[in-house]
Amino acid sequence: MSDMDLSPTKDNFSDVHYLTENTVCTILSSCEEKGDYSALIHVIGRVFSSADALVKSFRKDEPNTTEKPDSLKPTDVKKHEKKSERTSEKIGASSAAALPDEPPNNVSDPCEVTVDVDAVRRVYDKLLSIDQVDTALVNALVYLTPNTELDLEYLDVYETNPDYLNIFIIVMENNNLHSPEYLEFALPQFCKAMSKLPVPALARLSKLWSQYDLPHIRRMMETFQQLITFTVVCNEYDGDNLVNDDETVVAATKCLKVVFYASILGGDVDIEHNEDDDEDSDSDELTLHELLGEERLYKKGPRVDPLEKELGIRPVDSRKPLIPYEDFINESLNDVVEMDKDFTFFKVDAETKFSFQSCPFILNIITKNQGLYYDNRIRMYSERRLTALYSMVQGQQPNPYLKLKVRRDHIIDDALVRLEMISMENPSDLKKQLFVEFEGEQGVDEGGVSKEFFQLVLEEIFNIDIGMFTYDDDTKLFWFNSSSLENEAQYSLIGIVLGLAIYNNCILDVHFPMVVYRKLMGKKGTYLDLSDSHPDLYHSLKQLLEYTGNVEKDMALTFQISHTDLFGNPVLHDLKEEGDQIPVTTENRQEFVDMYAEYILNKSVDRQFRAFKKGFLMVTNESPMKYLFRPEEVELLICGSRKLDFEALEKTTEYDGGYSKDSQIIKDFWETINSFGEEQKRLFLQFTTGTDRAPVGGLGKLKMIITKNGSDSDRLPTSHTCFNALLLPEYSSKEKLRERLLKAITYSKGFGML
């Protein structure tokens, strides 16, 4: 039967039990002739409120049968659609690999569905221009979704009929879903039903949506975001009424995750080029944590999201998503989520309570950093408790901190020896809170001494004369020296220092290209990563790939490359065996570029980077960092923000000892600071806080304190970097204030300076 054979002939269209594009057009024409849309409204209401009717509607191929359409059960429809479903109803990471073995005629796309999406869009274009029909769609959705939710939760309906997914595909094509009529009742119930879909169904949706045009994916993202924002704004949350318990927000967040992965799948993706996993496998021996009944709560590695596993893709695999990551962050939600509670759900009650850290894309880096802070502090407390227990059993003095006593003029040797001993004898000591003491100095470490320790270690290790790293004057970035003579322990020390900085919430002045953070997160460097790490080489290789002439004759390149060693001598390296005999041609130039990048970013520095990563993982291997943060966010955690917003700092600064924001010297102080150049501002920040970078969230998060330190005198301003406190005498003039302040920030180093 054709669509026209199925077209209704009765005026009330009561025999229509599912919809096709032709059916809708026929009913619409009839209604327009009469000037009465009631028949159309009744049909729309009846079909869109019935799961069975919607599953059968808008099919790509109508069932070839003489039975009445309404007599078809979902399982019968499945039989008629057997050809299109033969290879693609169950999708997973391995399905794509299995497809080539199928006969050519039976191959179908892994995200192939039986609903005609283009027809659905054309139908919505006609229907949504009629107000009464839109109201009917809202009411139908309110009636449909509770039954759908029950079907999915208790009857496993998707497993018996994968075409059940058509309901969600059809509903999500409605362009009005974000309008107020839907937001209050229909859309929240729809999201709850959609969140009950099994993971394979959500993965199938994600794959299908990843093939849509950008405006369609963006509209779906905005629909879920609108619902989350609307719900959060309309409610009040506190310690007893958590946003985590709001079913609408939770369901919409889970739905947004499907769009998030669709955005990744539809963008530029690199699922290859993964670094070998260096993390040690769990030992079979019982640890003290287990003997105490803690079941290795803080020994678990980063978890894997079920949808991520089903799709076989991770956010770190994404080079450029269809929709920028920032658009998935919901600031309204970030304002109300209580991270201490959310962290508990994430770590302990993951099975019974929803944690927004299971959907980290919706959280901004400030909120995620709070979660990481709680994780770090609890692990510090756990190690401290174990140390106390060991000490009681062994009758020794407890040592609850990771204590480093170093000499300022031998800082690398002292730190290296101490950290190397700890990493060999008891690596878990690295999880304790860091406590640094400079020999012969009176500073007590409450954060500030550690900051200076980190800065001094980095200054020395990144010294070009040592030769551990090379420096690019144009990019201002460091890279591993492939011909360095230093042993691996030095590189491990740098890794440990970076890990300790994250663990102890310190900002470091480190200048690495982004590929270093991608490699730390498990990805190998590729040709595209050369753009910021080795820009000149990147442009040369790009020109090679785009060259339209005869590559072999005009460029005379072979698979043998040359680079300079530590002493500036040229070193030849064959990318292939007997590479000097293999010319680079138009056909093999992509292979040449890939092998060149592989050598520069991975093979040539393999020894150095492995040691560096090993040190980093000694501190962070149990942290959820890899799960929560993308490479660019890890850089922010380690280095802080390069943007210095002193207006934000001024707004959040507090005053003590008799000063207030209206004191004349405070007004003079901020006028003086704002008149400084970029370098002087960084020196001031270094002097007051111990680092010249802004923390995650900007300078407004610093909570600087300016306190009165006596009346006018010739003494210099001093600071307690541990507390971000500036001790400022009440100078008699603005000129004197400027002169004394510049002197203090220019010549400040060491503790105990008066």
Side-chain angles (χ1 to χ4, degrees):
M1 282 190 295
S2 68
D3 283 340
M4 291 310 293
D5 293 328
L6 292 170
S7 296
T9 54
K10 296 178 183 177
D11 287 345
N12 63 0
F13 304 103
S14 59
D15 59 342
V16 175
H17 298 283
Y18 71 94
L19 293 175
T20 67
E21 187 177 10
N22 283 347
T23 308
V24 174
C25 290
T26 303
I27 300 173
L28 192 56
S29 298
S30 172
C31 291
E32 285 172 346
E33 283 178 20
K34 297 177 182 178
D36 178 10
Y37 291 99
S38 58
L40 176 64
I41 291 166
H42 286 134
V43 172
I44 292 296
R46 187 168 65 249
V47 172
F48 273 80
S49 61
S50 165
D52 284 348
L54 212 49
V55 166
K56 299 171 197 170
S57 297
F58 307 111
R59 305 297 283 254
K60 286 179 180 175
D61 303 307
E62 284 303 306
N64 185 16
T65 175
T66 55
E67 292 182 88
K68 288 184 180 180
D70 59 306
S71 67
L72 282 172
K73 299 286 185 284
T75 49
D76 297 324
V77 175
K78 188 183 176 189
K79 289 175 187 173
H80 289 291
E81 300 299 333
K82 194 170 182 180
K83 180 180 176 182
S84 67
E85 296 167 2
R86 192 168 296 164
T87 61
S88 65
E89 287 307 345
K90 289 189 178 179
I91 61 171
S94 61
S95 62
L99 287 177
D101 297 330
E102 297 283 341
N105 292 336
N106 290 338
V107 172
S108 62
D109 194 272
C111 59
E112 185 70 33
V113 290
T114 54
V115 64
D116 188 341
V117 176
D118 291 329
V120 172
R121 289 175 182 170
R122 291 191 294 268
V123 166
Y124 271 124
D125 286 341
K126 293 182 175 71
L127 295 180
L128 293 178
S129 59
I130 307 165
D131 289 340
Q132 303 98 305
V133 173
D134 199 26
T135 305
L137 284 168
V138 175
N139 294 332
L141 196 55
V142 171
Y143 187 84
L144 166 75
T145 45
N147 296 327
T148 308
E149 185 179 349
L150 291 171
D151 285 351
L152 287 166
E153 192 162 11
Y154 298 109
L155 300 181
D156 297 331
V157 66
Y158 176 79
E159 281 75 5
T160 55
N161 179 20
D163 284 342
Y164 204 80
L165 196 65
N166 291 5
I167 296 170
F168 299 92
I169 296 168
I170 292 169
V171 171
M172 282 305 297
E173 289 303 320
N174 185 338
N175 288 330
N176 281 359
L177 283 179
H178 63 277
S179 64
E181 297 80 28
Y182 288 89
L183 278 177
E184 199 159 352
F185 297 112
L187 192 56
Q189 291 187 20
F190 173 77
C191 287
K192 287 173 197 171
M194 182 174 156
S195 67
K196 294 293 192 298
L197 281 167
V199 172
L202 294 172
R204 203 162 150 227
L205 261 186
S206 198
K207 286 188 175 183
L208 173 70
W209 289 348
S210 72
Q211 297 185 344
Y212 285 6
D213 294 335
L214 180 58
H216 286 99
I217 303 180
R218 180 169 282 282
R219 177 185 57 77
M220 288 189 279
M221 182 272 292
E222 289 171 351
T223 297
F224 296 128
Q225 287 281 38
Q226 188 108 351
L227 177 58
I228 294 168
T229 303
F230 175 79
T231 309
V232 168
V233 169
C234 292
N235 289 280
E236 290 186 9
Y237 303 99
D238 54 36
D240 298 321
N241 179 30
L242 296 172
V243 69
N244 303 67
D245 296 324
D246 191 314
E247 291 183 349
T248 299
V249 175
V250 169
T253 302
K254 290 177 179 177
C255 295
L256 186 62
K257 183 191 284 188
V258 181
V259 186
F260 175 72
Y261 280 106
S263 170
I264 289 176
L265 284 167
D268 296 333
V269 177
D270 172 20
I271 57 173
E272 300 174 355
H273 306 107
N274 297 315
E275 288 272 3
D276 295 333
D277 200 347
D278 293 331
E279 294 182 43
D280 295 327
S281 57
D282 288 343
S283 167
D284 291 332
E285 294 181 19
L286 285 173
T287 65
L288 192 58
H289 279 279
E290 290 171 308
L291 292 170
L292 293 172
E294 295 190 353
E295 298 178 356
R296 311 193 78 182
L297 182 60
Y298 295 99
K299 297 292 182 184
K300 294 175 183 174
R303 64 181 70 194
V304 177
D305 185 275
L307 184 56
E308 177 183 299
K309 187 177 181 181
E310 183 74 25
L311 290 167
I313 194 163
R314 303 167 297 165
V316 73
D317 296 328
S318 174
R319 279 286 178 182
K320 186 181 180 184
L322 286 175
I323 301 173
Y325 290 117
E326 296 74 27
D327 292 1
F328 284 95
I329 296 170
N330 189 297
E331 293 297 348
S332 300
L333 174 67
N334 279 267
D335 290 340
V336 297
V337 67
E338 298 199 19
M339 284 307 290
D340 54 345
K341 306 275 196 332
D342 193 89
F343 169 78
T344 306
F345 302 154
F346 182 65
K347 274 293 194 181
V348 183
D349 297 327
E351 300 300 319
T352 56
K353 285 280 196 176
F354 177 79
S355 164
F356 288 99
Q357 288 180 86
S358 65
C359 298
F361 56 84
I362 203 168
L363 302 175
N364 59 36
I365 188 170
I366 302 170
T367 308
K368 287 190 284 191
N369 192 38
Q370 270 185 293
L372 188 65
Y373 175 81
Y374 287 125
D375 186 81
N376 292 342
R377 291 292 151 179
I378 287 175
R379 273 190 291 135
M380 285 178 183
Y381 171 76
S382 179
E383 292 299 335
R384 196 179 301 174
R385 197 163 63 86
L386 284 177
T387 301
L389 192 61
Y390 268 130
S391 304
M392 284 169 56
V393 172
Q394 297 173 352
Q396 296 176 350
Q397 186 73 19
N399 183 17
Y401 299 101
L402 169 59
K403 284 193 175 181
L404 293 180
K405 187 171 184 178
V406 293
R407 295 166 292 174
R408 193 175 282 275
D409 51 350
H410 293 85
I411 194 165
I412 294 295
D413 294 337
D414 292 353
L416 183 62
V417 169
R418 179 80 180 110
L419 290 173
E420 200 169 11
M421 282 176 59
I422 291 169
S423 62
M424 287 190 299
E425 292 176 5
N426 193 10
S428 64
D429 276 4
L430 294 171
K431 309 286 170 44
K432 294 177 181 176
Q433 187 173 347
L434 181 64
F435 191 96
V436 177
E437 181 184 344
F438 283 108
E439 197 171 276
E441 298 188 22
Q442 59 186 318
V444 176
D445 191 5
E446 294 191 30
V449 186
S450 297
K451 289 179 188 176
E452 188 173 13
F453 164 74
F454 284 131
Q455 289 300 125
L456 293 174
V457 167
L458 293 176
E459 278 178 24
E460 193 154 334
I461 267 191
F462 283 100
N463 188 330
I464 302 300
D465 297 336
I466 292 180
M468 287 180 67
F469 295 91
T470 59
Y471 182 71
D472 189 309
D473 289 319
D474 295 328
T475 62
K476 312 292 186 197
L477 297 173
F478 288 92
W479 182 247
F480 297 87
N481 186 352
S482 58
S483 53
S484 169
L485 302 177
E486 297 293 335
N487 61 32
E488 293 175 17
Q490 298 272 36
Y491 287 99
S492 290
L493 173 63
I494 289 292
I496 290 173
V497 165
L498 258 64
L500 287 174
I502 290 179
Y503 195 58
N504 289 272
N505 219 26
C506 283
I507 302 297
L508 300 183
D509 189 15
V510 177
H511 301 271
F512 279 135
M514 186 53 63
V515 64
V516 170
Y517 302 102
R518 283 179 58 78
K519 283 167 73 71
L520 281 176
M521 299 294 274
K523 299 297 292 185
K524 285 186 176 181
T526 64
Y527 156 67
L528 294 173
D529 292 306
L530 291 170
S531 60
D532 67 328
S533 64
H534 300 75
D536 292 339
L537 175 59
Y538 173 76
H539 289 304
S540 299
L541 295 176
K542 191 167 184 276
Q543 287 175 350
L544 169 63
L545 290 175
E546 294 171 352
Y547 189 65
T548 54
N550 189 314
V551 172
E552 185 175 357
K553 287 184 178 178
D554 298 347
M555 297 195 172
L557 294 169
T558 67
F559 275 76
Q560 185 181 71
I561 60 171
S562 172
H563 64 97
T564 55
D565 65 9
L566 182 62
F567 306 103
N569 302 319
V571 177
L572 298 176
H573 174 77
D574 287 347
L575 297 176
K576 284 183 171 184
E577 194 174 340
E578 297 184 353
D580 59 326
Q581 306 298 317
I582 305 173
V584 177
T585 64
T586 304
E587 290 74 27
N588 67 16
R589 61 183 169 181
Q590 183 65 59
E591 182 188 15
F592 171 77
V593 166
D594 291 340
M595 293 185 81
Y596 202 147
E598 167 71 10
Y599 175 73
I600 294 295
L601 296 177
N602 303 315
K603 286 185 177 178
S604 66
V605 296
D606 185 63
R607 177 181 67 87
Q608 294 85 346
F609 185 81
R610 276 184 181 277
F612 169 75
K613 186 177 180 182
K614 180 184 175 185
F616 184 75
L617 289 177
M618 278 181 189
V619 188
T620 63
N621 62 341
E622 297 164 14
S623 166
M625 183 186 70
K626 198 171 181 179
Y627 180 86
L628 294 176
F629 297 95
R630 303 188 308 277
E632 56 270 26
E633 292 176 320
V634 173
E635 183 189 29
L636 267 179
L637 286 179
I638 295 173
C639 306
S641 173
R642 300 176 193 275
K643 296 176 183 176
L644 301 182
D645 182 2
F646 273 81
E647 284 184 20
L649 180 62
E650 184 176 352
K651 286 177 184 174
T652 57
T653 296
E654 296 175 359
Y655 305 95
D656 195 15
Y659 285 156
S660 73
K661 66 176 182 179
D662 298 319
S663 302
Q664 185 57 46
I665 188 168
I666 296 301
K667 292 177 181 177
D668 292 344
F669 170 80
W670 285 115
E671 285 177 16
T672 302
I673 290 294
N674 291 327
S675 70
F676 282 174
E678 183 73 14
E679 187 58 36
Q680 289 172 324
K681 284 181 177 177
R682 291 195 180 279
L683 283 172
F684 167 74
L685 210 56
Q686 178 82 45
F687 173 75
T688 313
T689 68
T691 177
D692 66 352
R693 301 287 186 94
V696 172
L699 287 181
K701 298 289 180 184
L702 267 181
K703 303 292 184 206
M704 189 174 80
I705 300 170
I706 300 179
T707 188
K708 186 174 180 179
N709 192 22
S711 56
D712 182 35
S713 72
D714 289 333
R715 285 193 306 169
L716 296 175
T718 54
S719 66
H720 294 310
T721 52
C722 322
F723 308 106
N724 301 329
L726 177 68
L727 281 64
L728 188 67
E730 193 171 9
Y731 297 114
S732 55
S733 68
K734 186 176 175 181
E735 291 73 23
K736 188 173 184 179
L737 167 67
R738 181 184 178 88
E739 184 266 328
R740 297 276 87 187
L741 189 59
L742 275 174
K743 197 166 197 176
I745 66 177
T746 308
Y747 302 104
S748 63
K749 223 169 210 183
F751 287 80
M753 173 181 161
L754 296 174

